Coordinates of all heavy atoms in Angstrom, one line a residue:
Chain B
Y276 N -13.0 -37.2 -38.6 CA -14.4 -37.3 -39.0 C -15.1 -35.9 -38.5 O -14.9 -35.5 -37.4 CB -15.1 -38.4 -38.4 CG -16.6 -38.5 -38.7 CD1 -17.0 -38.9 -40.0 CD2 -17.6 -38.1 -37.9 CE1 -18.3 -38.9 -40.4 CE2 -18.9 -38.1 -38.2 CZ -19.3 -38.5 -39.5 OH -20.6 -38.5 -39.9
V277 N -15.8 -35.3 -39.4 CA -16.5 -34.1 -39.1 C -18.1 -34.3 -39.3 O -18.5 -34.8 -40.3 CB -16.0 -32.9 -40.0 CG1 -16.8 -31.6 -39.8 CG2 -14.5 -32.7 -39.9
I278 N -18.8 -33.8 -38.3 CA -20.2 -33.9 -38.4 C -20.6 -32.6 -39.2 O -20.3 -31.5 -38.8 CB -20.9 -33.8 -37.1 CG1 -20.4 -34.9 -36.2 CG2 -22.5 -34.0 -37.3 CD1 -21.0 -34.9 -34.8
E279 N -21.2 -32.7 -40.4 CA -21.5 -31.6 -41.2 C -22.6 -30.7 -40.5 O -23.4 -31.1 -39.7 CB -22.2 -32.0 -42.5 CG -21.1 -32.6 -43.5 CD -21.7 -33.3 -44.7 OE1 -22.7 -32.8 -45.2 OE2 -21.2 -34.4 -45.0
G280 N -22.5 -29.4 -40.9 CA -23.5 -28.4 -40.4 C -23.2 -28.1 -38.9 O -22.2 -28.3 -38.3
S281 N -24.3 -27.4 -38.3 CA -24.1 -27.0 -36.9 C -25.5 -27.1 -36.2 O -26.5 -27.3 -36.8 CB -23.5 -25.6 -36.7 OG -24.3 -24.7 -37.4
V282 N -25.4 -27.0 -34.8 CA -26.7 -27.0 -34.1 C -27.6 -25.9 -34.6 O -27.1 -24.7 -34.6 CB -26.4 -26.9 -32.6 CG1 -27.7 -27.1 -31.8 CG2 -25.4 -27.9 -32.2
P283 N -28.9 -26.0 -34.8 CA -29.7 -24.9 -35.2 C -29.9 -23.9 -34.1 O -29.8 -24.4 -32.9 CB -31.1 -25.6 -35.6 CG -31.0 -26.9 -35.0 CD -29.6 -27.3 -34.9
S284 N -30.0 -22.7 -34.4 CA -30.2 -21.6 -33.3 C -31.6 -21.8 -32.8 O -32.5 -22.5 -33.3 CB -30.0 -20.3 -33.9 OG -31.1 -19.9 -34.7
L285 N -31.8 -21.2 -31.6 CA -33.1 -21.3 -30.9 C -34.2 -20.9 -31.8 O -35.3 -21.6 -31.9 CB -33.1 -20.3 -29.7 CG -32.5 -20.9 -28.4 CD1 -32.9 -20.0 -27.3 CD2 -32.9 -22.2 -28.1
Q286 N -34.1 -19.8 -32.5 CA -35.2 -19.3 -33.4 C -35.5 -20.3 -34.5 O -36.6 -20.3 -35.1 CB -35.0 -17.9 -33.9 CG -35.1 -16.8 -32.8 CD -33.8 -16.2 -32.4 OE1 -32.9 -17.0 -32.2 NE2 -33.7 -14.9 -32.4
N287 N -34.4 -21.0 -35.0 CA -34.6 -21.8 -36.2 C -34.9 -23.3 -35.9 O -34.8 -24.1 -36.8 CB -33.3 -21.7 -37.1 CG -33.1 -20.3 -37.5 OD1 -34.1 -19.5 -37.7 ND2 -31.9 -19.9 -37.6
M288 N -35.1 -23.6 -34.6 CA -35.3 -25.0 -34.2 C -36.6 -25.5 -34.8 O -37.6 -24.9 -34.7 CB -35.3 -25.0 -32.7 CG -35.1 -26.4 -32.1 SD -33.3 -26.9 -32.3 CE -32.7 -26.0 -30.9
P289 N -36.5 -26.6 -35.6 CA -37.8 -27.2 -36.1 C -38.7 -27.6 -35.0 O -38.2 -28.1 -34.0 CB -37.3 -28.3 -37.0 CG -35.9 -28.7 -36.4 CD -35.4 -27.4 -35.9
A290 N -40.0 -27.3 -35.2 CA -41.0 -27.7 -34.1 C -41.2 -29.2 -34.0 O -41.3 -29.8 -33.0 CB -42.3 -27.0 -34.4

Side-chain angles (χ1 to χ4, degrees):
Chain B
Y276 179 74
V277 176
I278 308 175
E279 284 168 40
S281 60
V282 187
S284 72
L285 277 192
Q286 285 111 310
N287 299 326
M288 199 73 80

